[in-house]
Amino acid sequence: MSPQSPGGTESDVRRAIETVFRIESPRIVAAVTRVVRDVGIAEELAQDALVAALEQWPREGVPDNPGAWLMTAARRRAVDLVRRRENYARKLQEIGREMPETAPPQEPTDPDDIDDDLLRLVFTTCHPVLSAEARIALTLRLLGGLTTVEIARAFLVPEVTVAQRIVRAKRTLATKNVAFEVPYGVEREARLRDVLDVIYLVFNEGYAATAGDDWLRPGLCEDALRLARVLAGLMPKEPEVHGLVALLEFQASRTAARTGPDGEPVLLRDQNRRRWNRMLIARGIRALERAEATATGAPGPYVLQATIAACHAHAYTYEETDWATIAALYGLLAARAPSPVVELNRAVAVSMAQGPEAALEIVDALAPHLPDYHLLPSVRGDLLDRLGRTTEAAVEFERAAALARNERERELLLGRAREAQTG
């Protein structure tokens, strides 16, 4: 071990330990789960290793390879636990009692199987037996390294609610005997969409918070982007994974330009594109190229969304945007993954390519399908405003504000209502 530096305090060492653990914990939990076959127990053993580090490192010094130290400590505890179980089962047999034994699931022999513990953990935390809320909470806890307090703060729910979701999720995985494995064939394709959707939902909550006082929560965006990049490294031949990475890179590139000096939202058309992060845009372009290189058929939903985002990234001004191509891409996306929200986005693109009147027909047809979605009256108000129907536009903006749960967004919509009334 490296001796603790004379200038370093115990609190410095503690912060270093917590930082290392946050980075390494997903791999530690994944490796231990493979031994004990229980995500909940694996996390407890990983936490035991953390406690051991907190006790030893301030006294003995930080190891040269702290991540390996934590991994070894957790694995030893896992092996000890398995041995104790085996000894207990043996003793029960010796006294004539029967104990049902469940053998570990057979590993698939299909050559398409991916033997990676971290990837197994991703598919486990996003298993369809869990609710969407439970998947998000468990994924952020085990793969994002977030505490229950951080998750609760990010999603504006009580800490006890998050804690209960995580506990119930672990219990469900155990009682349902969910195998710690990466599915393959048709099942993998179906489950991969769940994994990608969870990561995308996490990013979106950071990109445009559904509720609360803040428009952006950059920490959630960073966690989701990191998870997507990890997944791309684990599944390099999956075009939709690269498509998701590309989409998130492009979206994240706009973060600095999406809010004003006081944290107020700045619409896409008003953003200073010089503030867009060109490094993230370049990363998005490379990820999209990888998606296209690995594709064997028609592009999937995330590749299509990334291609749309790329159109925005390539335009140096709002007016230079290739809206006709974007409208066509949304048409393909609507055919590939039908959704009224996708149609609403297509309407926006159509309004820019063909005029607001053509788009208004699309939006009006969507009204029965999105009765409480605040962005529908927001888009409708914008179209009416551009058509000179300002009184009607103001009513729509006010209705959108009443439906919005985010304070910043509500203020923006009320401001647009006032502008329409005075315009």
Side-chain angles (χ1 to χ4, degrees), residues 8 38 51 56 114 127 145 173 181 196 201 218 230 251 311 344 350 397:
D38 188 302
V51 171
Q56 294 181 36
I114 298 176
H127 197 282
L173 294 175
E181 64 181 7
L196 299 180
L201 283 170
V230 168
Q251 299 286 70
C311 288
L344 185 61
V350 167
F397 286 132

Side-chain angles (χ1 to χ4, degrees), residues 185-196:
V186 176
E187 187 182 354
R188 177 186 294 175
E189 184 177 346
R191 290 265 300 278
L192 179 59
R193 182 58 190 266
D194 290 330
V195 172
L196 299 180

Side-chain angles (χ1 to χ4, degrees), residues 3 74 100 103 152 172 206 223 259 405 413:
T172 299
D223 286 323
T259 53
R405 293 168 54 205
L413 291 165

Side-chain angles (χ1 to χ4, degrees), residues 361-372:
E361 294 181 15
I362 300 173
V363 173
D364 288 343
L366 291 172
H369 305 287
L370 297 169
D372 301 317

Side-chain angles (χ1 to χ4, degrees), residues 332-360:
L332 293 174
L333 182 60
R336 187 77 168 78
S339 159
V341 174
V342 171
E343 275 295 290
L344 185 61
N345 286 325
R346 186 175 74 86
V348 173
V350 167
S351 76
M352 299 304 298
Q354 302 175 25
E357 194 163 355
L360 192 58

